[in-house]
Amino acid sequence: MQHGKYRFIVGFLIAPLALYAIFVIWPFIQSIYYSFTDWTGLSSDFKMVGFDNYTKMFDDDIFWKSLQHSVLFVLLLPLVTLALALFLAFMINVGGRQRKGATITGVRGSGFYKIAYFFPQVLSIAIVALLFQFAYNPESGAINAALSAVGLDNIQPLWLGDPDLALWCVMAVLIWSTVGFFVVLFSAGMASIPKDYYEAALLDGADRFTTFFKITLPLLWDTVQAGWIYMGILALGAEAFAVVQIMTVGPGGGGPDYSTTVLPLYVYQTAFRDAQAGYATTIGVALLVVTLSFAAVVTKLGRRERLEF
């Protein structure tokens, strides 16, 4: 009987595991292999160069700039996005004033706010980047026009053309485009928490601040931790790459003066603009290490006793 059970399980697992190995594991192995070659990506001719690509990477100033920007993204974007999403979700579900017949309610119009916050999710990230590229235009953009309308004509930054501001402008777009998803996610989690917990806390004299940190956050911790990892992967992956490439100046994006270049974009530029696919895969391996390290650290630091209700 046991033997038949295991055959049944293996029969269901073998196909998805084979597909995962072919389309996920094997490309990783290939990338590590090509990182030890001088492959241009344009021909099938290449030779092994040992650790030359890694030595070049450690001496590459642009790589270190890109790594610095990616680390900044992965540290700040999840922190700001999730904190803002938790606050908004809490106000939508629990933060309203006491009304007749209901002790725990969200703010008025909470249903509309959910739709408004989630709206950026229905837009392609490319469309979002283009819209904000126009908005940041120093001559005809909506942001400088709004500053002029309120009498702040003397404050007309170049935004994406300023090396000191460009990276922060990109981060603001990523926060705006992703916070709505987590508002809806956390709202769903908060809606499942029994209202009795909040009512008992309010009867004991707890304020909204206390109920958030003593009830809401502990019971949502698993969701927050998963969201933190997911947001970090977005900050290190396609979302950051697309926004930086589309919005910023310079050949292939990343400007001005590499002030917004992130690791995924540098991989793309090295492989397709500079025809150095072997070196690009080396940078890709570094990106893989950063991503896995981030996920491991968040999982380790966020581990706590599971609370159930």
Side-chain angles (χ1 to χ4, degrees):
M1 189 70 177
Q2 290 291 327
H3 181 67
K5 181 181 73 172
Y6 290 128
R7 284 201 320 185
F8 178 78
I9 294 173
V10 170
F12 270 96
L13 289 179
I14 190 168
L17 288 177
L19 291 174
Y20 184 81
I22 293 172
F23 293 106
V24 178
I25 302 298
W26 181 242
F28 280 131
I29 296 173
Q30 282 185 309
S31 297
I32 295 172
Y33 170 76
Y34 285 124
S35 71
F36 294 100
T37 71
D38 63 352
W39 184 41
T40 64
L42 302 176
S43 72
S44 58
D45 297 328
F46 59 86
K47 64 180 180 180
M48 301 297 294
V49 295
F51 288 94
D52 289 356
N53 286 332
Y54 290 90
T55 302
K56 178 182 177 180
M57 182 179 70
F58 287 122
D59 294 331
D60 187 348
D61 292 337
I62 301 175
F63 165 75
W64 289 110
K65 271 190 175 183
S66 305
L67 177 62
Q68 180 183 352
H69 299 155
S70 289
V71 170
L72 191 63
F73 270 35
V74 84
L75 291 178
L76 292 184
L77 283 178
L79 178 64
V80 176
T81 303
L82 297 185
L84 183 58
L86 279 169
F87 170 76
L88 295 175
F90 185 77
M91 296 303 294
I92 288 173
N93 289 274
V94 189
R97 294 182 179 181
Q98 182 174 347
R99 301 176 199 166
K100 184 178 180 180
T103 306
I104 303 300
T105 61
V107 296
R108 292 187 182 276
S110 56
F112 168 77
Y113 291 136
K114 285 182 183 180
I115 297 172
Y117 295 144
F118 191 76
F119 175 72
Q121 291 295 308
V122 305
L123 299 176
S124 164
I125 190 64
I127 294 175
V128 170
L130 284 173
L131 289 174
F132 274 92
Q133 185 186 45
F134 293 134
Y136 281 128
N137 189 299
E139 297 179 358
S140 59
I143 297 178
N144 279 357
L147 292 174
S148 298
V150 296
L152 298 176
D153 299 304
N154 58 327
I155 303 178
Q156 297 287 318
L158 294 176
W159 301 114
L160 297 175
D162 187 341
D164 296 326
L165 288 177
L167 190 68
W168 303 105
C169 293
V170 171
M171 291 178 66
V173 174
L174 285 168
I175 292 170
W176 181 86
S177 65
T178 54
V179 70
F181 170 79
F182 293 102
V183 170
V184 174
L185 178 67
F186 294 149
S187 293
M190 291 179 190
S192 66
I193 298 175
K195 299 296 184 183
D196 296 346
Y197 291 7
Y198 292 109
E199 292 173 356
L202 292 176
L203 288 174
D204 289 338
D207 55 18
R208 301 296 186 188
F209 182 85
T210 303
T211 57
F212 174 77
F213 284 99
K214 296 297 184 180
I215 298 176
T216 305
L217 188 58
L219 293 176
L220 279 183
W221 186 252
D222 288 345
T223 305
V224 172
Q225 185 182 31
W228 199 289
I229 295 175
Y230 176 70
M231 188 62 204
I233 292 174
L234 288 184
L236 290 171
E239 296 278 331
F241 161 76
V243 172
V244 172
Q245 188 197 28
I246 293 170
M247 288 182 59
T248 56
V249 299
D257 192 27
Y258 298 102
S259 61
T260 57
T261 305
V262 289
L263 284 177
L265 179 62
Y266 193 38
V267 170
Y268 170 81
Q269 291 174 337
T270 305
F272 297 101
R273 184 192 64 188
D274 304 333
Q276 300 180 32
Y279 182 47
T281 57
T282 305
I283 303 170
V285 171
L287 177 59
L288 172 64
V289 172
V290 172
T291 304
L292 293 178
S293 300
F294 166 78
V297 169
V298 171
T299 303
K300 179 69 175 179
L301 295 180
R303 186 176 300 162
R304 60 169 61 187
E305 184 180 353
R306 184 180 179 87
L307 299 177
E308 297 182 354
F309 54 89

